[in-house]
């Protein structure tokens, strides 16, 4: 069976390492803080100006003035700090973010990423993704393996406008964990009950194992 959204977030949380500074994109990646291993220290950054985010708040903890880049209410951990967008993007562009976890509409076999717009649809802007994919030391895409209509989101070549070229290192979906390498895509892990054949059938690019 494919991972549920919660199981996918828990699997992605296992990618975090002790002492890392991590930026989480909007959408699915914002669920990751709820599953961070309590035995490690990870500092979560939001590009709207928070360093030290915690998990989603319980109802009695909600502070409407405390939001992440996706305008969702969040909590902060002891030692957290707040700053302006210029400082935030200085951290990102300066190479101080160890890991960025982002959603995607398409990922190509060579690591190209399209995650900010679909032509013809209204969007508010590209957000910080273009900076993150070039500033972070490692980029992991967290997404459902296919679109709602069943169309594969892992493709040979992106057809949507690119966020960055050859920037993705690993893809974690509800079906599998896939690494992007110079030799192509490599299947590293399948979700429980999902076979390699299932993953290949849902992938529109060659997949090595």
């Amino acid at each position: 069976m494919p991972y549920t959204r919660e199981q996918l977030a828990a699997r992605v949380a296992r990618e975090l390492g002790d002492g890392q500074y991590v930026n989480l994109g909007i959408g699915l990646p914002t669920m990751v803080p709820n599953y961070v291993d309590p035995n490690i220290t990870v500092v979560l950054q939001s590009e709207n100006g928070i360093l030290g985010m915690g998990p989603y708040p319980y109802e009695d903890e909600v502070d409407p003035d405390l939001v992440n880049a996706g305008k969702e209410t969040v909590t902060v951990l002891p030692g957290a700090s707040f700053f302006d967008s210029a400082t935030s993007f200085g951290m990102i562009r300066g190479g101080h973010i160890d890991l960025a976890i982002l959603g995607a509409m398409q990922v190509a076999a060579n690591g190209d990423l399209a995650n900010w717009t679909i032509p013809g649809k209204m969007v508010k802007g590209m957000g910080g993704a273009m900076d993150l994919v070039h500033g972070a030391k490692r980029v992991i895409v967290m997404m459902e393996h296919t679109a709602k209509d069943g169309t594969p989101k892992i493709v040979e070549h992106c057809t949507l406008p690119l966020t960055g070229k050859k920037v993705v290192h690993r893809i974690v979906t509800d079906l599998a964990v896939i690494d992007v390498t110079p030799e192509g895509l490599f299947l590293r892990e399948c979700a429980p009950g999902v076979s390699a054949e299932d993953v290949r059938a849902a992938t529109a690019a060659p997949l090595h194992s």
Side-chain angles (χ1 to χ4, degrees), residues 5 16 27 29 32 42-43 76 102 105 117 135 149 152 178-179 186 204:
R5 292 165 65 93
L16 307 184
V32 172
V42 175
V43 182
V76 291
L102 304 172
M105 297 166 187
T117 189
D149 63 359
I178 297 169
D179 280 340
F186 279 79

Side-chain angles (χ1 to χ4, degrees), residues 151-166:
T151 304
K153 296 170 73 173
I154 301 174
V155 295
E156 284 204 66
H157 305 285
C158 292
T159 57
L160 296 173
L162 294 182
T163 306
K165 291 185 175 183
K166 299 181 179 179

Side-chain angles (χ1 to χ4, degrees), residues 78-96:
S81 58
F82 305 94
F83 35 85
D84 61 18
S85 288
T87 302
S88 181
F89 279 89
M91 294 176 185
I92 294 167
R93 295 170 184 170
H96 304 292

Side-chain angles (χ1 to χ4, degrees), residues 15-78:
E15 298 289 323
L16 307 184
D18 192 36
Q20 283 187 324
Y21 287 81
V22 180
N23 180 283
L24 303 175
I26 62 174
L28 281 174
T30 60
M31 298 175 65
V32 172
N34 291 336
Y35 301 94
V36 175
D37 185 341
N39 297 311
I40 67 172
T41 299
V42 175
V43 182
L44 300 176
Q45 191 243 19
S46 182
E47 61 261 35
N48 63 320
I50 305 174
L51 196 63
M53 276 194 309
Y56 278 124
Y58 289 105
E59 197 169 326
D60 60 350
E61 298 176 324
V62 171
D63 180 346
D65 293 323
L66 193 55
V67 295
N68 62 17
K71 309 297 188 293
E72 299 172 307
T73 53
V74 295
T75 61
V76 291
L77 301 178

